Amino acid sequence: MERGILHFFSSEADFQAGAAGAELMRKYGVDRRVLGRDEVLKVEPALATFGPNIHGGTFTPSDESGDAMVFTQKLAALCRARGATFLHDTAIARIDTAGGQISGVRVRPVAGGAARTLVADQYVAAMGSYTAPMLRQLGIWLNIYPAKGYSATLKLKRPHDASVVSLLDDTRKIAISRLGDHIRIAGTAELAGFDTSLDGATAQKRCTALVRRYEELFPGVADTSEPHYWTGLRPSTPTNIPYIGRSKIANLWLNAGHGTLGWTHGAGSGQALAELISGQRPALAGFGFCGEALPPTRSFVPVAQPQGKQA
Ligand SMILES: Cc1cc2nc3c(=O)[nH]c(=O)nc-3n(C[C@H](O)[C@H](O)[C@H](O)COP(=O)(O)OP(=O)(O)OC[C@H]3O[C@@H](n4cnc5c(N)ncnc54)[C@H](O)[C@@H]3O)c2cc1C
């Protein structure tokens, strides 16, 4: 949906911080505007009930939103039509090396069955949060940690009173996206290792908090009796900047650690990496690509490894 993204703030301090952030974005060419309360309500009139609590907002008209699952499924179909093969329900068990290079990737169907080795000339490690543990066997220590997030999707009871523009309830760090006759509320970050369960006490609390907040903002607009909950792991780095580029193994490339913005940055990261692997200078100038990739602005910096581990 090409209607922009509107951040709104329910505290003055948050609004001031958001306005300062918007100025920085404008400095780097992003049209992020600072809005007073009335202008916020003009952009998204559905916020009227909550309006008295709003101190201001920022709006980026060029931002887009959508359904990430539909996007990735359609993208996969386009790739298949161009000859790509996807091995679903197949896990990488091991990465083999020979002569200081990757020589193959050992994969096995998750449901069981024979393992086999896939061989290529270049390899890309893009397993989100799982990239870090997977590459440790090669002595590559990446500073990526899973930050668990949740979403709740609700059916709308009164679609005409629901928001259309994508919203960021910035004080609570909750995103609200309109998906036809449904609304999706996403947010929270929990450091819980690789746990992706939804039935624990903390998970349940966080999920119900999303629905409760939606009800505060848009009372009676959605059916809160049958929420569809989902959880995922954001592959987070301390800076929120991903590892893109060549690893210390010449034919192994990295594209991982996209944190809170992996969908937003997915296409650009993929394009830049394809350019690097093809020996071209990426159109995205000035980004600190890893390793010996061009331009050599950022050398590969592994995490300090625990004692006793081999680099
Ligand atoms: C609640 C929530 C809301 C979010 N909202 C936004 C948003 O609004 N905008 C945005 O841009 N981003 C958002 N994100 C972040 C975004 O989802 C991530 O940054 C993105 O998914 C990272 O993509 P990835 O492909 O690197 O990793 P992942 O999406 O984690 O994918 C990694 C893949 O690797 C596979 N894998 C792992 N280990 C193995 C193995 N051993 N063998 C085979 N396969 C393996 C996994 O099965 C998985 O398919 C959100 C995240 C969450 C949790």
Side-chain angles (χ1 to χ4, degrees):
M1 187 186 295
E2 297 172 5
R3 293 283 297 264
I5 295 183
L6 173 67
H7 291 229
F8 63 92
F9 303 88
S10 39
S11 97
E12 187 57 30
D14 290 338
F15 177 41
Q16 293 308 328
E23 195 182 325
L24 193 64
M25 296 289 273
R26 281 199 303 279
K27 191 174 146 195
Y28 288 99
V30 178
D31 179 16
R32 181 169 289 186
R33 303 166 190 178
V34 178
L35 309 181
R37 179 192 296 135
D38 291 348
E39 293 166 301
V40 168
L41 299 183
K42 223 177 259 173
V43 174
E44 183 44 270
L47 279 167
T49 310
F50 190 73
N53 303 297
I54 293 176
H55 287 251
T58 61
F59 182 53
T60 316
S62 59
D63 262 337
E64 298 175 11
S65 60
D67 186 326
M69 189 173 86
V70 173
F71 177 88
T72 43
Q73 286 175 341
K74 293 207 167 167
L75 180 62
L78 286 172
C79 292
R80 247 182 240 112
R82 287 176 163 224
T85 303
F86 293 89
L87 301 179
H88 291 292
D89 301 316
T90 303
I92 298 168
R94 198 180 69 216
I95 301 174
D96 295 327
T97 55
Q101 299 258 329
I102 306 296
S103 57
V105 173
R106 194 84 179 141
V107 298
R108 186 188 293 279
V110 174
R116 60 184 169 130
T117 299
L118 304 175
V119 176
D121 49 0
Q122 304 290 324
Y123 299 80
V124 178
M127 291 163 284
S129 302
Y130 300 88
T131 312
M134 178 60 73
L135 297 193
R136 272 180 219 145
Q137 61 182 284
L138 303 173
I140 294 173
W141 293 78
L142 301 179
N143 217 344
I144 301 175
Y145 195 83
K148 188 177 185 182
Y150 299 89
S151 74
T153 305
L154 308 175
K155 185 150 176 51
L156 291 169
K157 282 197 295 196
R158 299 186 347 235
H160 293 303
D161 295 328
S163 52
V164 178
V165 174
S166 255
L167 299 175
L168 209 297
D169 177 2
D170 208 293
T171 300
R172 297 287 182 93
K173 301 285 180 261
I174 289 173
I176 300 171
S177 311
R178 178 74 179 263
L179 304 172
D181 59 357
H182 285 75
I183 200 88
R184 178 166 296 160
I185 311 120
T188 90
E190 184 186 327
L191 299 180
F194 288 86
D195 171 28
T196 52
S197 66
L198 275 171
D199 48 6
T202 307
Q204 286 295 308
K205 261 191 202 155
R206 286 176 178 264
C207 287
T208 50
L210 291 175
V211 175
R212 201 168 50 241
R213 179 61 172 173
Y214 185 78
E215 193 58 26
E216 271 170 37
L217 298 169
F218 303 99
V221 171
D223 178 1
T224 55
S225 66
E226 285 185 45
H228 173 73
Y229 293 132
W230 173 85
T231 183
L233 302 176
R234 300 183 190 88
S236 304
T237 63
T239 54
N240 214 20
I241 297 174
Y243 292 90
I244 304 173
R246 201 196 287 271
S247 77
K248 66 178 186 177
I249 297 176
N251 65 343
L252 176 64
W253 300 78
L254 307 171
N255 192 12
H258 292 71
T260 55
L261 287 173
W263 185 24
T264 310
H265 293 159
S269 304
Q271 182 178 338
L273 190 65
E275 288 162 344
L276 288 168
I277 295 174
S278 310
Q280 297 165 20
R281 187 172 289 274
L284 185 68
F287 182 83
F289 294 104
C290 303
E292 299 157 24
L294 293 172
T297 49
R298 173 180 164 192
S299 58
F300 177 69
V301 185
V303 186
Q305 53 184 291
Q307 281 186 348
K309 298 278 181 194
Q310 199 68 33

